[in-house]
Amino acid sequence: DVSYRIAGTSIGMEISDEAARAINADLVALAMTRQAEEAATDYAEGAYLSFLQGDADMGMAALSGVTAQSLDSAVTTAGSLSQKAWVKWLFANSRKRKIDTVVCNLDTALAIANRTGRPTVTGDNATSKRIDTLDSVVNPTWPDQVDVIVSQDPSWPANTILGFSSAVGYHVVNSSVLAYNAVEQFAIRRATKVRVDTGTISYRLYDDAFSVLTLTV
């Protein structure tokens, strides 16, 4: 058994009684919601980075990866990706997990979208009566769709793709002790303060559910 400390975070706002008479509750709720959304996004991007680079406090070591060139020798330019390398990476170790989510920066997401050799839909009639046969993989171990999370964290390494199975990849723990919200009234300052406290930690649950692909040569 391992014991972890859960750090708490707080968001809130203070509104003077005079301002409260000039604005409605919807505007206050909007301001709090936006603050909470930004805080949650920052936390999520930091958690993805710790999954990749490790976190000593959580007992997580950094993940090692494979290069696109090691999967396809035709990849000779840094930052580029081929269909062959992409599918072989998704297929690798697929008896243990199925990568359905990847995290990368915007440039790398564009490299995924613009990978060379990517199949495209054409105007050909595949059901026409001709001397031909179609192939269909009956036991695919890659997903029909991969969700791409574009990280805006400036610390996210370039040309790096973190992939994982969302079903068994990580564990999120929310503290019941730090779950707190309150509204305080200040008679002297003639103001009202709204405060919400939360505490959350995230860690890799199953290391084999993760894989890293780097677009380096």
Side-chain angles (χ1 to χ4, degrees), residues 2 4 43-65 97 99 101 103 156 160-173 200-212:
V2 180
Y4 295 111
Y43 173 80
E45 292 187 345
Y48 293 137
L49 189 61
S50 70
F51 294 161
L52 173 67
Q53 297 183 338
D55 186 337
D57 292 335
M58 300 302 299
M60 293 189 299
L63 293 172
S64 58
R97 52 97 178 104
I99 293 177
T101 307
V103 186
W156 191 271
T160 302
I161 303 172
L162 171 67
F164 58 87
S165 169
S166 60
V168 295
Y170 59 89
H171 192 197
V172 178
V173 180
T200 303
I201 59 171
S202 302
Y203 56 88
R204 296 197 307 261
L205 180 63
Y206 183 41
D207 282 358
D208 279 341
F210 287 82
S211 185
V212 179

Short mmCIF file of all heavy atoms in Angstrom, two decimals, residues 2 4 43-65 97 99 101 103 156 160-173 200-212:
data_model
loop_
_atom_site.label_atom_id
_atom_site.label_comp_id
_atom_site.label_asym_id
_atom_site.label_seq_id
_atom_site.Cartn_x
_atom_site.Cartn_y
_atom_site.Cartn_z
N VAL A 2 0.46 2.24 -0.75
CA VAL A 2 1.20 3.49 -0.86
C VAL A 2 0.31 4.65 -0.45
O VAL A 2 -0.86 4.71 -0.84
CB VAL A 2 1.72 3.70 -2.30
CG1 VAL A 2 2.49 5.01 -2.40
CG2 VAL A 2 2.60 2.54 -2.73
N TYR A 4 -0.38 8.72 -0.53
CA TYR A 4 -0.07 9.93 -1.30
C TYR A 4 -0.71 11.14 -0.63
O TYR A 4 -1.76 11.04 -0.01
CB TYR A 4 -0.62 9.83 -2.73
CG TYR A 4 0.00 8.76 -3.58
CD1 TYR A 4 -0.74 7.64 -3.95
CD2 TYR A 4 1.30 8.86 -4.02
CE1 TYR A 4 -0.19 6.65 -4.73
CE2 TYR A 4 1.87 7.86 -4.80
CZ TYR A 4 1.12 6.76 -5.15
OH TYR A 4 1.68 5.78 -5.92
N TYR A 43 -4.93 21.73 -15.19
CA TYR A 43 -4.62 20.52 -14.43
C TYR A 43 -4.51 19.31 -15.36
O TYR A 43 -3.59 18.49 -15.23
CB TYR A 43 -5.68 20.25 -13.37
CG TYR A 43 -5.48 18.92 -12.69
CD1 TYR A 43 -4.54 18.76 -11.68
CD2 TYR A 43 -6.18 17.79 -13.11
CE1 TYR A 43 -4.30 17.53 -11.10
CE2 TYR A 43 -5.96 16.55 -12.53
CZ TYR A 43 -5.03 16.43 -11.52
OH TYR A 43 -4.80 15.21 -10.95
N ALA A 44 -5.46 19.18 -16.29
CA ALA A 44 -5.47 18.02 -17.19
C ALA A 44 -4.20 17.98 -18.04
O ALA A 44 -3.58 16.91 -18.20
CB ALA A 44 -6.70 18.06 -18.08
N GLU A 45 -3.79 19.13 -18.59
CA GLU A 45 -2.59 19.16 -19.43
C GLU A 45 -1.35 18.84 -18.61
O GLU A 45 -0.43 18.19 -19.09
CB GLU A 45 -2.47 20.51 -20.12
CG GLU A 45 -3.56 20.74 -21.17
CD GLU A 45 -3.35 22.00 -21.98
OE1 GLU A 45 -2.53 22.84 -21.56
OE2 GLU A 45 -4.00 22.14 -23.04
N GLY A 46 -1.33 19.29 -17.35
CA GLY A 46 -0.21 18.95 -16.48
C GLY A 46 -0.18 17.47 -16.15
O GLY A 46 0.90 16.87 -16.05
N ALA A 47 -1.36 16.87 -15.99
CA ALA A 47 -1.43 15.43 -15.71
C ALA A 47 -0.92 14.62 -16.89
O ALA A 47 -0.17 13.64 -16.71
CB ALA A 47 -2.87 15.04 -15.36
N TYR A 48 -1.31 15.00 -18.12
CA TYR A 48 -0.83 14.28 -19.31
C TYR A 48 0.69 14.36 -19.41
O TYR A 48 1.35 13.38 -19.76
CB TYR A 48 -1.46 14.85 -20.58
CG TYR A 48 -2.95 14.63 -20.68
CD1 TYR A 48 -3.80 15.66 -21.12
CD2 TYR A 48 -3.51 13.40 -20.35
CE1 TYR A 48 -5.17 15.45 -21.21
CE2 TYR A 48 -4.88 13.20 -20.45
CZ TYR A 48 -5.71 14.22 -20.88
OH TYR A 48 -7.06 14.02 -20.97
N LEU A 49 1.24 15.53 -19.08
CA LEU A 49 2.69 15.70 -19.15
C LEU A 49 3.38 14.81 -18.11
O LEU A 49 4.44 14.24 -18.39
CB LEU A 49 3.06 17.17 -18.94
CG LEU A 49 4.52 17.54 -19.18
CD1 LEU A 49 4.93 17.27 -20.62
CD2 LEU A 49 4.76 19.02 -18.84
N SER A 50 2.79 14.69 -16.93
CA SER A 50 3.38 13.84 -15.90
C SER A 50 3.27 12.36 -16.29
O SER A 50 4.15 11.56 -15.96
CB SER A 50 2.71 14.07 -14.54
OG SER A 50 1.38 13.59 -14.53
N PHE A 51 2.20 11.96 -17.02
CA PHE A 51 2.12 10.59 -17.51
C PHE A 51 3.28 10.30 -18.45
O PHE A 51 3.82 9.20 -18.45
CB PHE A 51 0.80 10.37 -18.28
CG PHE A 51 -0.44 10.46 -17.44
CD1 PHE A 51 -1.67 10.68 -18.03
CD2 PHE A 51 -0.38 10.33 -16.06
CE1 PHE A 51 -2.81 10.76 -17.27
CE2 PHE A 51 -1.53 10.41 -15.28
CZ PHE A 51 -2.76 10.63 -15.89
N LEU A 52 3.66 11.30 -19.25
CA LEU A 52 4.73 11.13 -20.23
C LEU A 52 6.11 11.19 -19.59
O LEU A 52 6.95 10.30 -19.79
CB LEU A 52 4.61 12.21 -21.30
CG LEU A 52 5.75 12.30 -22.33
CD1 LEU A 52 5.75 11.06 -23.22
CD2 LEU A 52 5.61 13.57 -23.17
N GLN A 53 6.36 12.23 -18.81
CA GLN A 53 7.70 12.49 -18.29
C GLN A 53 7.94 11.90 -16.90
O GLN A 53 9.07 11.92 -16.42
CB GLN A 53 7.96 14.00 -18.27
CG GLN A 53 7.94 14.63 -19.65
CD GLN A 53 8.26 16.11 -19.64
OE1 GLN A 53 8.12 16.78 -18.60
NE2 GLN A 53 8.70 16.64 -20.76
N GLY A 54 6.89 11.39 -16.28
CA GLY A 54 7.03 10.80 -14.95
C GLY A 54 6.83 11.83 -13.85
O GLY A 54 6.85 13.04 -14.08
N ASP A 55 6.62 11.32 -12.66
CA ASP A 55 6.41 12.17 -11.49
C ASP A 55 6.93 11.40 -10.28
O ASP A 55 6.35 10.39 -9.88
CB ASP A 55 4.92 12.48 -11.33
CG ASP A 55 4.64 13.48 -10.21
OD1 ASP A 55 5.48 13.61 -9.30
OD2 ASP A 55 3.58 14.13 -10.25
N ALA A 56 8.03 11.89 -9.70
CA ALA A 56 8.65 11.20 -8.57
C ALA A 56 7.70 11.13 -7.38
O ALA A 56 7.69 10.13 -6.65
CB ALA A 56 9.94 11.90 -8.18
N ASP A 57 6.90 12.16 -7.17
CA ASP A 57 5.98 12.17 -6.04
C ASP A 57 4.92 11.08 -6.16
O ASP A 57 4.41 10.58 -5.15
CB ASP A 57 5.29 13.53 -5.92
CG ASP A 57 6.26 14.63 -5.52
OD1 ASP A 57 7.29 14.30 -4.90
OD2 ASP A 57 6.00 15.81 -5.84
N MET A 58 4.58 10.71 -7.40
CA MET A 58 3.57 9.69 -7.63
C MET A 58 4.19 8.33 -7.95
O MET A 58 3.47 7.37 -8.27
CB MET A 58 2.66 10.11 -8.79
CG MET A 58 1.91 11.41 -8.56
SD MET A 58 0.87 11.36 -7.09
CE MET A 58 -0.23 10.02 -7.52
N GLY A 59 5.52 8.25 -7.89
CA GLY A 59 6.18 6.99 -8.17
C GLY A 59 6.15 6.58 -9.62
O GLY A 59 6.23 5.39 -9.94
N MET A 60 6.04 7.56 -10.53
CA MET A 60 5.97 7.26 -11.96
C MET A 60 7.30 7.61 -12.64
O MET A 60 7.77 8.74 -12.50
CB MET A 60 4.84 8.04 -12.64
CG MET A 60 3.46 7.64 -12.22
SD MET A 60 2.16 8.43 -13.23
CE MET A 60 2.45 10.17 -12.90
N ALA A 61 7.87 6.66 -13.35
CA ALA A 61 9.07 6.92 -14.14
C ALA A 61 8.67 7.44 -15.51
O ALA A 61 7.52 7.27 -15.94
CB ALA A 61 9.89 5.65 -14.27
N ALA A 62 9.60 8.08 -16.20
CA ALA A 62 9.33 8.58 -17.55
C ALA A 62 9.13 7.42 -18.50
O ALA A 62 9.74 6.35 -18.35
CB ALA A 62 10.47 9.47 -18.02
N LEU A 63 8.25 7.61 -19.48
CA LEU A 63 7.99 6.58 -20.49
C LEU A 63 9.01 6.69 -21.62
O LEU A 63 9.36 7.78 -22.04
CB LEU A 63 6.58 6.74 -21.06
CG LEU A 63 5.41 6.47 -20.10
CD1 LEU A 63 4.10 6.85 -20.79
CD2 LEU A 63 5.39 5.01 -19.68
N SER A 64 9.47 5.56 -22.10
CA SER A 64 10.33 5.53 -23.28
C SER A 64 9.47 5.29 -24.51
O SER A 64 8.34 4.80 -24.40
CB SER A 64 11.39 4.44 -23.15
OG SER A 64 10.77 3.17 -22.98
N GLY A 65 9.98 5.64 -25.67
CA GLY A 65 9.17 5.52 -26.88
C GLY A 65 9.93 4.94 -28.04
O GLY A 65 11.11 4.59 -27.93
N ARG A 97 -3.55 -3.85 -24.94
CA ARG A 97 -4.31 -2.61 -24.87
C ARG A 97 -4.60 -2.10 -26.27
O ARG A 97 -3.96 -2.48 -27.24
CB ARG A 97 -3.55 -1.55 -24.06
CG ARG A 97 -2.10 -1.36 -24.55
CD ARG A 97 -1.95 -0.21 -25.46
NE ARG A 97 -0.57 0.00 -25.86
CZ ARG A 97 -0.08 -0.34 -27.04
NH1 ARG A 97 -0.86 -0.94 -27.91
NH2 ARG A 97 1.17 -0.09 -27.38
N ILE A 99 -4.90 1.52 -28.15
CA ILE A 99 -4.73 2.97 -28.04
C ILE A 99 -5.90 3.66 -28.72
O ILE A 99 -6.09 3.53 -29.93
CB ILE A 99 -3.40 3.42 -28.67
CG1 ILE A 99 -2.22 2.89 -27.87
CG2 ILE A 99 -3.34 4.95 -28.75
CD1 ILE A 99 -0.87 3.24 -28.46
N THR A 101 -6.67 7.08 -27.59
CA THR A 101 -6.50 8.50 -27.31
C THR A 101 -5.02 8.85 -27.41
O THR A 101 -4.17 8.09 -26.92
CB THR A 101 -7.00 8.86 -25.90
OG1 THR A 101 -8.35 8.41 -25.74
CG2 THR A 101 -6.95 10.36 -25.66
N VAL A 103 -2.14 12.29 -27.15
CA VAL A 103 -1.90 13.67 -26.73
C VAL A 103 -0.65 14.18 -27.42
O VAL A 103 0.38 13.47 -27.45
CB VAL A 103 -1.73 13.77 -25.20
CG1 VAL A 103 -1.63 15.24 -24.77
CG2 VAL A 103 -2.87 13.08 -24.46
N TRP A 156 5.22 20.81 -23.36
CA TRP A 156 5.04 19.55 -24.08
C TRP A 156 6.11 19.42 -25.15
O TRP A 156 6.29 20.32 -25.97
CB TRP A 156 3.66 19.48 -24.71
CG TRP A 156 3.37 18.10 -25.23
CD1 TRP A 156 3.64 17.61 -26.48
CD2 TRP A 156 2.80 17.02 -24.49
NE1 TRP A 156 3.28 16.29 -26.56
CE2 TRP A 156 2.77 15.90 -25.36
CE3 TRP A 156 2.33 16.89 -23.19
CZ2 TRP A 156 2.26 14.67 -24.94
CZ3 TRP A 156 1.83 15.66 -22.79
CH2 TRP A 156 1.79 14.57 -23.66
N THR A 160 6.30 14.63 -30.34
CA THR A 160 6.09 13.55 -29.38
C THR A 160 4.60 13.27 -29.24
O THR A 160 3.81 14.18 -28.99
CB THR A 160 6.67 13.91 -28.01
OG1 THR A 160 8.07 14.18 -28.14
CG2 THR A 160 6.48 12.77 -27.02
N ILE A 161 4.23 12.00 -29.39
CA ILE A 161 2.84 11.57 -29.28
C ILE A 161 2.73 10.59 -28.12
O ILE A 161 3.41 9.56 -28.09
CB ILE A 161 2.35 10.88 -30.57
CG1 ILE A 161 2.52 11.81 -31.78
CG2 ILE A 161 0.89 10.45 -30.43
CD1 ILE A 161 2.25 11.11 -33.11
N LEU A 162 1.89 10.91 -27.16
CA LEU A 162 1.58 10.01 -26.06
C LEU A 162 0.24 9.34 -26.36
O LEU A 162 -0.77 10.02 -26.56
CB LEU A 162 1.49 10.78 -24.74
CG LEU A 162 0.96 9.98 -23.53
CD1 LEU A 162 1.96 8.90 -23.14
CD2 LEU A 162 0.67 10.91 -22.36
N GLY A 163 0.24 8.03 -26.42
CA GLY A 163 -0.99 7.29 -26.68
C GLY A 163 -1.34 6.40 -25.50
O GLY A 163 -0.45 5.89 -24.81
N PHE A 164 -2.64 6.21 -25.28
CA PHE A 164 -3.04 5.33 -24.18
C PHE A 164 -4.46 4.82 -24.40
O PHE A 164 -5.23 5.36 -25.21
CB PHE A 164 -2.95 6.05 -22.83
CG PHE A 164 -3.77 7.30 -22.72
CD1 PHE A 164 -5.10 7.26 -22.31
CD2 PHE A 164 -3.21 8.54 -23.02
CE1 PHE A 164 -5.85 8.42 -22.21
CE2 PHE A 164 -3.96 9.71 -22.91
CZ PHE A 164 -5.28 9.65 -22.51
N SER A 165 -4.79 3.78 -23.66
CA SER A 165 -6.15 3.26 -23.64
C SER A 165 -6.92 4.00 -22.55
O SER A 165 -6.54 3.93 -21.37
CB SER A 165 -6.15 1.75 -23.35
OG SER A 165 -7.45 1.29 -23.07
N SER A 166 -7.97 4.69 -22.92
CA SER A 166 -8.72 5.48 -21.95
C SER A 166 -9.43 4.60 -20.92
O SER A 166 -9.79 5.06 -19.84
CB SER A 166 -9.74 6.37 -22.66
OG SER A 166 -10.65 5.59 -23.42
N ALA A 167 -9.63 3.31 -21.24
CA ALA A 167 -10.36 2.42 -20.34
C ALA A 167 -9.52 2.02 -19.12
O ALA A 167 -10.05 1.90 -18.02
CB ALA A 167 -10.80 1.17 -21.10
N VAL A 168 -8.21 1.84 -19.31
CA VAL A 168 -7.37 1.34 -18.22
C VAL A 168 -6.09 2.14 -18.06
O VAL A 168 -5.18 1.70 -17.34
CB VAL A 168 -7.02 -0.16 -18.44
CG1 VAL A 168 -8.26 -1.02 -18.38
CG2 VAL A 168 -6.31 -0.36 -19.78
N GLY A 169 -5.99 3.29 -18.70
CA GLY A 169 -4.73 4.01 -18.72
C GLY A 169 -4.36 4.70 -17.42
O GLY A 169 -3.22 4.59 -16.96
N TYR A 170 -5.30 5.40 -16.82
CA TYR A 170 -4.95 6.19 -15.65
C TYR A 170 -6.08 6.19 -14.63
O TYR A 170 -7.21 5.79 -14.91
CB TYR A 170 -4.62 7.63 -16.07
CG TYR A 170 -5.75 8.36 -16.78
CD1 TYR A 170 -6.70 9.08 -16.05
CD2 TYR A 170 -5.87 8.33 -18.16
CE1 TYR A 170 -7.73 9.74 -16.70
CE2 TYR A 170 -6.90 8.98 -18.81
CZ TYR A 170 -7.82 9.69 -18.07
OH TYR A 170 -8.85 10.34 -18.70
N HIS A 171 -5.72 6.63 -13.43
CA HIS A 171 -6.66 6.66 -12.31
C HIS A 171 -6.71 8.08 -11.76
O HIS A 171 -5.67 8.71 -11.57
CB HIS A 171 -6.20 5.68 -11.22
CG HIS A 171 -7.23 5.43 -10.16
ND1 HIS A 171 -6.93 4.87 -8.95
CD2 HIS A 171 -8.57 5.66 -10.15
CE1 HIS A 171 -8.03 4.76 -8.24
NE2 HIS A 171 -9.04 5.23 -8.94
N VAL A 172 -7.90 8.57 -11.52
CA VAL A 172 -8.10 9.91 -10.95
C VAL A 172 -8.72 9.76 -9.56
O VAL A 172 -9.72 9.05 -9.41
CB VAL A 172 -9.00 10.77 -11.84
CG1 VAL A 172 -9.23 12.15 -11.21
CG2 VAL A 172 -8.39 10.93 -13.23
N VAL A 173 -8.12 10.40 -8.57
CA VAL A 173 -8.62 10.34 -7.20
C VAL A 173 -9.00 11.76 -6.76
O VAL A 173 -8.18 12.67 -6.81
CB VAL A 173 -7.57 9.77 -6.23
CG1 VAL A 173 -8.12 9.72 -4.81
CG2 VAL A 173 -7.14 8.38 -6.67
N THR A 200 -7.30 16.89 -6.29
CA THR A 200 -7.30 15.76 -7.22
C THR A 200 -5.86 15.34 -7.53
O THR A 200 -4.98 16.19 -7.68
CB THR A 200 -8.00 16.14 -8.54
OG1 THR A 200 -9.33 16.57 -8.27
CG2 THR A 200 -8.05 14.95 -9.49
N ILE A 201 -5.65 14.04 -7.65
CA ILE A 201 -4.39 13.51 -8.15
C ILE A 201 -4.70 12.51 -9.27
O ILE A 201 -5.77 11.90 -9.28
CB ILE A 201 -3.53 12.83 -7.06
CG1 ILE A 201 -4.29 11.66 -6.42
CG2 ILE A 201 -3.06 13.83 -6.03
CD1 ILE A 201 -3.44 10.82 -5.49
N SER A 202 -3.77 12.38 -10.20
CA SER A 202 -3.91 11.42 -11.29
C SER A 202 -2.59 10.69 -11.48
O SER A 202 -1.52 11.28 -11.34
CB SER A 202 -4.28 12.15 -12.60
OG SER A 202 -5.46 12.89 -12.45
N TYR A 203 -2.67 9.40 -11.79
CA TYR A 203 -1.46 8.64 -12.02
C TYR A 203 -1.73 7.52 -13.02
O TYR A 203 -2.89 7.14 -13.24
CB TYR A 203 -0.91 8.06 -10.71
CG TYR A 203 -1.89 7.20 -9.93
CD1 TYR A 203 -1.99 5.83 -10.17
CD2 TYR A 203 -2.69 7.77 -8.95
CE1 TYR A 203 -2.87 5.05 -9.47
CE2 TYR A 203 -3.59 6.98 -8.23
CZ TYR A 203 -3.67 5.62 -8.49
OH TYR A 203 -4.56 4.85 -7.79
N ARG A 204 -0.66 7.02 -13.64
CA ARG A 204 -0.79 5.90 -14.58
C ARG A 204 -1.23 4.66 -13.81
O ARG A 204 -0.58 4.25 -12.85
CB ARG A 204 0.53 5.64 -15.30
CG ARG A 204 1.00 6.77 -16.20
CD ARG A 204 2.07 6.29 -17.19
NE ARG A 204 3.17 5.60 -16.58
CZ ARG A 204 4.36 6.15 -16.30
NH1 ARG A 204 4.60 7.41 -16.62
NH2 ARG A 204 5.32 5.44 -15.74
N LEU A 205 -2.32 4.07 -14.25
CA LEU A 205 -2.84 2.88 -13.58
C LEU A 205 -2.21 1.61 -14.12
O LEU A 205 -1.92 0.68 -13.38
CB LEU A 205 -4.36 2.83 -13.75
CG LEU A 205 -5.09 1.65 -13.12
CD1 LEU A 205 -4.92 1.66 -11.60
CD2 LEU A 205 -6.58 1.70 -13.48
N TYR A 206 -1.97 1.58 -15.43
CA TYR A 206 -1.51 0.37 -16.11
C TYR A 206 -0.50 0.81 -17.17
O TYR A 206 -0.89 1.30 -18.22
CB TYR A 206 -2.72 -0.33 -16.72
CG TYR A 206 -2.47 -1.64 -17.42
CD1 TYR A 206 -1.62 -2.59 -16.89
CD2 TYR A 206 -3.14 -1.94 -18.60
CE1 TYR A 206 -1.41 -3.80 -17.53
CE2 TYR A 206 -2.95 -3.15 -19.25
CZ TYR A 206 -2.09 -4.07 -18.71
OH TYR A 206 -1.89 -5.27 -19.35
N ASP A 207 0.78 0.64 -16.88
CA ASP A 207 1.81 1.17 -17.78
C ASP A 207 1.74 0.59 -19.18
O ASP A 207 2.07 1.27 -20.16
CB ASP A 207 3.20 0.91 -17.18
CG ASP A 207 3.55 1.90 -16.08
OD1 ASP A 207 2.73 2.80 -15.81
OD2 ASP A 207 4.62 1.78 -15.46
N ASP A 208 1.32 -0.67 -19.31
CA ASP A 208 1.22 -1.27 -20.64
C ASP A 208 0.11 -0.64 -21.47
O ASP A 208 0.01 -0.91 -22.67
CB ASP A 208 0.97 -2.78 -20.52
CG ASP A 208 2.25 -3.55 -20.25
OD1 ASP A 208 3.33 -2.98 -20.51
OD2 ASP A 208 2.18 -4.70 -19.79
N ALA A 209 -0.72 0.17 -20.84
CA ALA A 209 -1.79 0.85 -21.58
C ALA A 209 -1.26 2.08 -22.31
O ALA A 209 -1.99 2.71 -23.08
CB ALA A 209 -2.92 1.26 -20.64
N PHE A 210 0.01 2.43 -22.08
CA PHE A 210 0.61 3.63 -22.67
C PHE A 210 1.66 3.27 -23.71
O PHE A 210 2.28 2.21 -23.65
CB PHE A 210 1.27 4.49 -21.59
CG PHE A 210 0.31 5.21 -20.69
CD1 PHE A 210 -0.28 4.56 -19.62
CD2 PHE A 210 -0.02 6.53 -20.93
CE1 PHE A 210 -1.17 5.21 -18.80
CE2 PHE A 210 -0.92 7.19 -20.11
CZ PHE A 210 -1.50 6.53 -19.05
N SER A 211 1.84 4.18 -24.65
CA SER A 211 2.89 4.04 -25.65
C SER A 211 3.27 5.43 -26.16
O SER A 211 2.43 6.33 -26.20
CB SER A 211 2.42 3.16 -26.82
OG SER A 211 3.47 2.93 -27.73
N VAL A 212 4.53 5.59 -26.54
CA VAL A 212 5.03 6.89 -26.99
C VAL A 212 5.64 6.75 -28.38
O VAL A 212 6.43 5.81 -28.62
CB VAL A 212 6.07 7.47 -26.01
CG1 VAL A 212 6.60 8.82 -26.52
CG2 VAL A 212 5.47 7.63 -24.61
#
